[in-house]
C-alpha cells in the first residue's frame, strides 16, 4: 500500500513565497532562488488547490539560502503576521482576541484547528497539554520529507509569533529527530 502524498494548500505557499521575497529584499540585493517550476506552480495555482509538499520544502530551502538558518524563524513569524492581515483570517483573529481576552494558549489551540485547512497528509497537529503559560503540541506522523530543520524552524517561528500578537514574549522548544515520526513542540511565555 502506498503512502499518501503530503500536500500543502496553494494559498499558504503563496504567503510563504510573498514573505520570502519581501524578507529577502529587505535583507539585501539578490532575489532568493526558488526553482522556476515551483515558483510558477505556486503563483499560478488557485488559492484552494493542493500542491505537493515538495514545493514547501523548495521554498524553505530558498529561504534558508537567502535569510540564513537564523532567519528561518523570523520568516515563519512574518508569514503568520501576513496571514493574520488577510481579510478572512484577520476577522477571525480579531474576534478570537476579543472573545478570549488575548490568551495565547487559547489562540494557539484555535490555530491548531486550522492545520488541516493548510496541510494534507503532513501529519496531524493536536494540543497535548495547555497551562497558564504554555501549550504543548504533538505533530504525528511527520512525513520523512518534512523531518528537517529547514521546515521545522519556520513553523516554530510562526508558533512563537502568535503569543507575541497577544503582547507576551514566547519561547519554543522542539523534541524531534529526523528518524522519528512524532515531534513535540512546546510554546511557553
Amino acid at each position: 500500500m502506498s503512502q499518501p502524498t503530503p500536500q500543502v494548500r496553494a494559498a499558504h505557499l503563496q504567503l510563504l513565497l510573498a514573505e520570502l521575497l519581501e524578507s529577502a529584499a529587505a535583507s539585501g540585493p539578490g532575489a532568493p532562488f526558488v526553482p522556476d517550476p515551483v515558483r510558477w506552480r505556486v503563483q499560478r495555482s488557485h488559492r484552494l488547490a493542493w500542491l505537493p509538499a515538495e514545493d514547501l520544502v523548495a521554498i524553505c530551502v530558498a529561504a534558508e539560502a537567502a535569510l540564513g538558518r537564523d532567519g528561518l524563524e523570523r520568516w515563519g513569524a512574518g508569514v503568520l503576521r501576513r496571514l493574520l492581515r488577510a481579510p478572512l483570517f484577520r476577522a477571525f483573529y480579531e474576534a478570537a482576541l476579543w472573545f478570549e481576552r488575548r490568551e495565547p494558549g487559547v489562540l494557539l489551540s484555535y490555530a491548531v484547528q486550522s492545520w488541516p485547512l493548510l496541510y494534507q497528509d503532513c501529519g496531524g497537529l493536536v494540543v497535548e497539554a495547555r497551562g497558564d503559560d504554555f501549550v504543548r503540541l504533538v505533530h504525528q506522523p511527520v512525513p520523512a520529507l518534512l523531518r528537517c530543520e529547514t521546515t521545522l524552524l519556520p513553523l516554530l517561528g510562526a508558533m512563537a509569533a502568535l503569543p507575541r500578537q497577544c503582547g507576551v514574549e514566547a519561547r519554543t522548544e522542539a523534541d524531534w529527530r529526523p528518524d522519528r515520526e512524532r515531534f513535540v513542540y512546546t510554546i511557553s511565555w
Side-chain angles (χ1 to χ4, degrees), residues 9-10 31 35 52 56 66 81 86 89 103 110 112 114-115 124-125 137-138 140 142 147 159-160 174-175 178:
R9 191 72 74 180
L56 169 69
R81 287 189 301 273
F89 283 100
E103 293 289 333
Y110 285 164
V112 166
S114 68
W115 182 264
L125 189 65
L137 307 173
V138 173
Q140 71 179 7
V142 179
R147 296 182 205 160
M159 289 177 187
D175 178 13

Side-chain angles (χ1 to χ4, degrees), residues 12 25 35 56 83 87 89-90 126 135 154 158 160 162 165:
H12 185 54
L56 169 69
L83 176 66
F89 283 100
R90 188 177 79 215
V126 297
V135 170
L162 197 51
Q165 295 293 312

Side-chain angles (χ1 to χ4, degrees), residues 100 103-111 130 135 189:
E100 300 302 340
E103 293 289 333
V106 175
L107 292 177
L108 279 161
S109 297
Y110 285 164
R130 186 173 92 198
V135 170
W189 51 91

